[in-house]
Amino acid sequence: MPSDLHFSFELFPPRTPVGWEKLPSLIDDLAAVKPAFFSVTYGAGGSEQDGTAEAVRQVASRTGIEAAPHLTCVGSSRARIAQLLQQYRDSGVTRIVALRGDLPATSLSNAAPGELRYADELVAFVREQHGDHFTLEVAAYPEVHPQATDPAADFRHFVRKVQAGADGAVTQYFYNADAYFDFVERCTQAGLQVPVVPGVMPIVNTAQLLRFSAACGAEVPRWVRLRLEAYGDDKASVQAFGLEVVSRLCETLLKGGAPGVHFYTLNQAEPTLKLWRNLGLPVI
Ligand code: FAD
């Protein structure tokens, strides 16, 4: 495996006291294999927001590995975003995943869209306020963003985010490697030079996978869905099959030139570490 590949791990801020109790050991277990960075999601408009900064602080202080908060602009103001950026800068953060975000369904009816409407405006705002201080990652959708009606326009919007100053992109997860390779080819044709790292989600639970995928527009191939559904409550078989499918996907992506993998860990170390070992990545 080439040594210049970059692997990163995504966490979410725990939603329960028990989740927070388990966070240190989760971080330690994942940090043991020395990822390039961790990222921590940010719940747009919700109570998870303070949790992002706290989880980022814990990753950095326990491991010394870079921790990148996700930052969304939906439902927020320039002043609030400027304040958060300054807090992150003051606490040593140098990488941010910049997103528009989605408002929780319950607050959609009475929520303002936010002063910055799209992620490209957020990227431009961060650059305007902080120059090159932050490395900025943005989201990419090889299978097209779920709200986009026109795939070509969706791709143009992605190009605008990069032109606004993004340093790299992390994709929504997918199980069809061709969608990723096609997206990367279009990036090359558009003259983009930033790395587009595939986001990969381990398969651990059929119902959860189908729920997430319906919400975020990721396609679960029919044959994968049918095999998973046939295992019913047999968790061990679901996970063994999921591991096989996702390991093969990662191998295909890396052989095909992907610059690394961003793992959506779902705050569980073992599914990601099993993939890691299956791929023959170094275990320190
Ligand atoms: P944008 O790039 O702004 O695009 C959103 C939609 O608007 C797309 O359909 C696009 O085609 C369209 N669009 C963009 N620009 C324009 C324009 N100028 N005019 C018209 N239409 C336009 N969500 C969270 O809430 N918190 C997180 O921490 C989080 N982390 C994520 C991490 C990754 C790696 C990914 C892939 C997604 C993440 N999300 C997160 C989900 C993301 O916030 C949603 O998918 C959201 O709907 C879009 O965010 P974006 O940054 O891609 O938006």
Side-chain angles (χ1 to χ4, degrees), residues 17-18 51 54 59 75 82 96-98 105 128 132 158 184 189 197 204 210-211 215 224 227 258 266 272 277-278:
V18 175
E54 173 56 19
V59 169
I96 284 178
V97 183
E128 179 195 303
D132 287 339
F158 173 73
V184 170
Q189 283 165 4
V197 176
V204 288
L210 298 179
R211 198 174 60 245
V224 173
R227 290 275 304 268
L266 301 165
T272 291
R277 290 189 286 264
N278 253 12

Side-chain angles (χ1 to χ4, degrees), residues 10 41-44 70 72 97-102 118-120 139-141 145 147-148 154 157 160-161 170-172 264:
E10 182 170 312
T41 63
Y42 182 76
H70 294 205
T72 64
V97 183
L99 304 141
R100 183 196 68 176
D102 287 316
Y118 296 105
D120 65 324
Y141 301 86
H145 184 263
Q147 287 158 4
D154 193 42
H157 297 143
R160 284 168 68 146
K161 290 195 277 199
V170 177
T171 77
Q172 184 55 276
Y264 294 101

Side-chain angles (χ1 to χ4, degrees), residues 111-141:
E115 286 180 9
L116 302 171
R117 290 167 312 157
Y118 296 105
D120 65 324
E121 295 177 18
L122 176 60
V123 169
F125 182 73
V126 179
R127 288 288 177 240
E128 179 195 303
Q129 299 268 309
H130 291 278
D132 287 339
H133 175 77
F134 295 108
T135 299
L136 293 180
E137 310 286 346
V138 290
Y141 301 86

Side-chain angles (χ1 to χ4, degrees), residues 93-244:
V93 167
T94 54
R95 184 188 295 259
I96 284 178
V97 183
L99 304 141
R100 183 196 68 176
D102 287 316
L103 284 170
T106 46
S107 65
L108 270 181
S109 53
N110 51 10
E115 286 180 9
L116 302 171
R117 290 167 312 157
Y118 296 105
D120 65 324
E121 295 177 18
L122 176 60
V123 169
F125 182 73
V126 179
R127 288 288 177 240
E128 179 195 303
Q129 299 268 309
H130 291 278
D132 287 339
H133 175 77
F134 295 108
T135 299
L136 293 180
E137 310 286 346
V138 290
Y141 301 86
E143 294 184 319
V144 183
H145 184 263
Q147 287 158 4
T149 45
D150 174 356
D154 193 42
F155 185 73
R156 282 199 301 277
H157 297 143
F158 173 73
V159 172
R160 284 168 68 146
K161 290 195 277 199
V162 175
Q163 289 170 342
D167 297 291
V170 177
T171 77
Q172 184 55 276
Y173 71 86
F174 54 85
Y175 295 101
N176 178 356
D178 284 341
Y180 170 79
F181 292 125
D182 176 72
F183 188 87
V184 170
E185 198 177 307
R186 282 184 289 143
C187 289
T188 307
Q189 283 165 4
L192 304 185
Q193 291 185 333
V194 299
V196 178
V197 176
V200 164
M201 191 157 88
I203 296 175
V204 288
N205 175 311
T206 307
Q208 181 195 50
L209 173 75
L210 298 179
R211 198 174 60 245
F212 284 0
S213 304
C216 73
E219 189 176 78
V220 179
R222 177 181 153 83
W223 69 276
V224 173
R225 175 173 60 77
L226 291 176
R227 290 275 304 268
L228 288 170
E229 284 174 344
Y231 291 125
D233 292 336
D234 178 356
K235 273 190 198 161
S237 297
V238 165
Q239 290 176 9
F241 175 64
L243 181 63
E244 188 188 314

Side-chain angles (χ1 to χ4, degrees), residues 8-14 20 22-32 34-41 51-69 91-93 265 267:
S8 46
F9 293 155
E10 182 170 312
L11 305 173
F12 59 82
W20 281 104
K22 290 182 179 166
L23 186 64
S25 64
L26 170 68
I27 293 171
D28 293 352
D29 290 348
L30 289 168
K34 305 238 180 299
F37 67 90
F38 282 82
S39 82
V40 182
T41 63
T52 302
E54 173 56 19
V56 161
R57 190 195 63 72
Q58 289 197 23
V59 169
S61 68
R62 295 187 75 77
T63 68
I65 296 173
E66 189 176 21
S91 62
V93 167
T265 70
N267 281 20

